[in-house]
Amino acid sequence: MAKENEKTEQNVSGVMLKICSFIVDKRNLFFLIYALLCIFSVVSRDWVKVENRLTEYLPETSETAQGLDLMEEQFLTYGTAQVMVANISYDQALEIQEDLESMEGVFSVDLDETTAHYNNGSALFGITFAYTETDERCEAALDEVDAYFASYDYYLSTSLGDIAAELVDKEMSVITVLVVILVVLVLLLTSGSYAEIPVLLLTFGSAALVHMGTNFLFGTISFVSDSVTLVLQLALSMDYAVILLNRYKEEKAQMPDREACIVALSKSIPEISGGSLTTIGGLVAMLFMQFGIGRDMGTVLIKAIVLSLLSVFLLMPGFIMVFAKLMEKTKHRSFIPQIPFVGKFAFKTRYIIAPLFVVVIIFANRISAGTSYVFGYTKITPPVQNSVTLAKEMIADTFTQDNMVALVFPSVDYETEKKLIGDLEADDRVNYITGLANTEALGDYTLTDKLTPRQFSELLNIDYEVAELIYTAYAVNDEDYAKAVNGLANYKVPLIDMFMFVYEEVEDGYVTLDEDLMQQLADANRLMTFAREQLQGEEYSRIIVHLNLPVESEETFAFIDEMHTMAEKYYDADRIFVVGESVSQYDLQKCFGPDNTVTGIISVLAVLVVLLFTFKSAGMPVLLIAVIQGCIWINFSVPALTHENLFFLGYLIVSSIQMGANIDYAIVIAGRYTELRGHMGKRAAIIETMNVSFPTIITSGTMLAVAGILIGRMTSDCAIYCIGKALGRGTIISLLVTMFVLPQILLVGDRIIELTAFVMKMPLQSINRRGSMRIDGAIRGHIDGEITGVIHANVRGNVSAFIQNEDIDMLEEETKGKGAD
């Protein structure tokens, strides 16, 4: 059986060597392939559409998603903008209003003497454009308005265009450059040769460019993925290239360049692939989120990591061969020190630090549960403010801002709509409502008030006979022949319907009116058409409710439910929708609970499966996952302790990345310790483990931590800011815990790992030592005389014995003795 296994391993090894030989020998082919891919990517990188609205990623079953789809189908939404102008008088504001209203493309400009529009020497203009939000002419009109205010101290806020997204994109470009510079500095300190740096950068640069150039395959990606993926790809995947490079240097000490590269690649492919699976496993959890941005970012990041792996396996061997001679010539001493004190500290404090960490993570679990999660931007202040966020803040600080939501319901009749509006206006949490049923028209009438022919003739100052003729024509057109035949005295028609009917009749030449009346009718029709297009569709109507509640609060969310209850008195509950920023945040809050549970469970299970196959022990995966999960709890205890609001997306994404990526640090230490325990005692094994693992961990961890910190400190977008800040902080916590806590846990859990292993134990081998040593465990053999049993003792002398698990540690005196082995 043993011979068969050995033969199988030799066959696998032989196949792997052949594949690796092909990659190394045909490197020019892979250079050509990647060169073509990079050229293509330069062109195709702009083909992807970037979605800047988080609401687009809400589940299709959410109220916001259904309501937005319905409103897009039923109503027209015209472009709007708010412009605050500081240090002007009210008379100057009126002159500006006249100028704006005379511009082509501007429908109306709201301005009055109330504090909602003029306060402390500043005026707030509410501009409504004559085109819908998606019309290119609307953005052209906005540009003209923007140019008009160039000489004023003004602040412009609008949802038109992608101004905020363009500013964030510029910020991320700067961050990427800084991250690359810092990565180069890190590599200068951690590499063994200056020529290693171009090898690593060319490998990553090719992977990054191909990644950006293939994003168009997704059609559309979110602005979050577009902004942070490149930086995270650099931080997450650079250590794959470092592993291959270190393997090459080890093999190069014993064989020529080509053979060293082939052997290093054959050994690195399984090692790197296994390590990347934990990262991918953590990201897979994001694919199961209800909130679609998790799926979006998960798929984009997984693609980035896979492309990085391919670049390391297919392209980097060629770069190593090209720079092999130069790497030899540019060698320098290592700037990474040996850290034996960390291993010694771990061994001495293993029974203190390990239980203390258990206590810490229990408290961290409880504290992190109290973190204040928010689902919008109003309660978060990023460290950087761009022109868009500054304008919003200035307007909010100077003027009272309403929280506006739209209530959509079936079009039944105007009387029912008027009753609903009355119920809502009676609530002191409602400032005012805009709807057809309460919009003032001419005289004291609203748009939907029903008028008789007599009232209509008095309103327009026309002959009663003319009014009767108009009403008769309307009745015939409406197929209400009984009214036309039996008398029109009590026939009532909503004002908006009659005005628009008359206008159509005049336009068609059936009715002739004098010039003044024609102008009055044209102006009224313009306003009424504008109102109807926005507030009444073929099957649904909507009203705009202005609340005096904050955008995000439990009280606001509760009132949204109350609005449904009020509307359900008059309309079918399944056909009522409330839409607005508050509602989208309410929907996000509803998604958060299930998404949190799903991502937590799946990320742990995915990583657990990978670790089970890696370590072939049930105990080791549990210990490592417990350590990283503890780091996650500690990370998200910080905002709870500092009473800082945390954007929910920061938690969902960072917890998945932290579980999938940061656990690599723990795997490096645990894997090396397990390997060394095969022929060393606990103390010696942990000291050597920390010495050997430190360069890899500090290189990879520093890159990810720096990337997170820079993103968190240099972006103006709240979602990206929270992701970066939590990622940087979490990576630092993971680094500290894996360096100064995990070793103690491995030492204390050594026996558990051994007992839960599901591999065959190798026969015990005789140990021969001379000097001072510590022995713990079952022993059979000679210690200056035969001994059989279980001992826990320090021994000075000669030892020749079988010791279970080879649990023997040489003491300090041994290393100083002349006869030490």
Side-chain angles (χ1 to χ4, degrees), residues 30-43:
F30 290 106
F31 285 159
L32 176 61
I33 292 173
Y34 267 86
L36 294 174
L37 284 174
C38 289
I39 293 171
F40 172 78
S41 296
V42 170
V43 177

Side-chain angles (χ1 to χ4, degrees), residues 309-571:
L309 287 173
L310 291 175
S311 182
V312 169
F313 295 154
L314 302 178
L315 188 62
M316 187 175 172
F319 287 140
I320 290 175
M321 294 301 295
V322 170
F323 286 89
K325 303 302 181 187
L326 192 57
M327 283 193 286
E328 285 293 316
K329 294 179 181 179
T330 59
K331 282 184 178 181
H332 60 78
R333 69 179 183 85
S334 174
F335 298 105
I336 301 297
Q338 294 285 300
I339 53 169
F341 64 90
V342 174
K344 293 176 182 178
F345 172 79
F347 189 78
K348 290 179 180 179
T349 61
R350 61 191 184 281
Y351 296 118
I352 299 173
I353 298 295
L356 183 61
F357 181 70
V358 173
V359 174
V360 169
I361 63 174
I362 290 173
F363 276 101
N365 172 261
R366 306 287 281 216
I367 294 170
S368 63
T371 299
S372 176
Y373 295 103
V374 295
F375 304 90
Y377 287 2
T378 55
K379 293 184 177 181
I380 299 175
T381 304
V384 176
Q385 283 190 318
N386 58 38
S387 58
V388 175
T389 56
L390 180 61
K392 288 181 179 179
E393 184 176 319
M394 291 295 294
I395 292 173
D397 290 344
T398 309
F399 301 96
T400 302
Q401 294 287 291
D402 294 321
N403 179 12
M404 185 177 69
V405 297
L407 177 58
V408 183
F409 46 84
S411 292
V412 178
D413 54 64
Y414 296 129
E415 287 78 8
T416 305
E417 180 180 328
K418 197 165 190 175
K419 291 178 183 177
L420 174 59
I421 291 174
D423 290 350
L424 289 167
E425 287 180 328
D427 196 296
D428 58 8
R429 289 167 291 187
V430 176
N431 280 341
Y432 64 97
I433 295 174
T434 302
L436 288 180
N438 72 335
T439 298
E440 293 183 2
L442 301 177
D444 295 326
Y445 296 113
T446 64
L447 288 176
T448 60
D449 282 342
K450 292 184 175 182
L451 275 65
T452 63
R454 175 69 64 185
Q455 292 170 316
F456 188 72
S457 67
E458 293 172 354
L459 179 65
L460 293 185
N461 195 24
I462 60 176
D463 292 339
Y464 177 70
E465 290 76 12
V466 174
E468 279 192 320
L469 288 173
I470 292 173
Y471 268 65
T472 300
Y474 183 90
V476 172
N477 184 72
D478 202 36
E479 298 183 355
D480 192 354
Y481 302 111
K483 291 291 184 182
V485 174
N486 298 328
L488 299 166
N490 296 318
Y491 185 28
K492 293 185 176 182
V493 178
L495 179 61
I496 185 172
D497 294 342
M498 182 53 71
F499 255 92
M500 298 185 76
F501 171 75
V502 173
Y503 184 79
E504 289 176 4
E505 294 296 297
V506 170
E507 286 289 295
D508 292 340
Y510 297 120
V511 176
T512 303
L513 301 174
D514 63 58
E515 186 175 340
D516 290 340
L517 192 55
M518 279 291 297
Q519 185 61 48
Q520 183 181 6
L521 185 64
D523 292 341
N525 179 76
R526 177 172 174 266
L527 292 171
M528 291 179 182
T529 301
F530 187 79
R532 173 168 275 179
E533 287 176 339
Q534 294 191 89
L535 299 173
Q536 188 176 55
E538 293 183 4
E539 301 176 5
Y540 285 84
S541 295
R542 69 175 171 180
I543 57 176
I544 309 301
V545 184
H546 298 261
L547 308 175
N548 53 32
L549 297 171
V551 174
E552 182 177 359
S553 72
E554 291 303 322
E555 184 184 4
T556 306
F557 296 159
F559 187 66
I560 291 170
D561 292 333
E562 290 184 39
M563 290 176 66
H564 275 275
T565 302
M566 292 182 192
E568 286 169 12
K569 291 166 52 179
Y570 307 104
Y571 304 102

Side-chain angles (χ1 to χ4, degrees), residues 339 342-343 345-346 665 669 690-691 693-695 697-698 733-744:
I339 53 169
V342 174
F345 172 79
Y665 314 146
I669 293 176
M690 301 313 297
N691 276 333
S693 303
F694 181 62
I697 294 173
I698 200 65
I733 291 170
S734 296
L735 282 173
L736 293 174
V737 169
T738 51
M739 290 295 296
F740 297 103
V741 177
L742 178 61
Q744 287 89 329

Side-chain angles (χ1 to χ4, degrees), residues 115-152:
T115 55
H117 286 279
Y118 189 80
N119 189 32
N120 293 328
S122 296
L124 180 63
F125 301 91
I127 303 173
T128 302
F129 296 100
Y131 314 110
T132 60
E133 289 181 327
T134 55
D135 194 320
E136 291 182 358
R137 292 175 296 175
C138 194
E139 290 195 32
L142 176 64
D143 292 338
E144 186 177 348
V145 168
D146 195 20
Y148 172 83
F149 285 107
S151 60
Y152 291 92

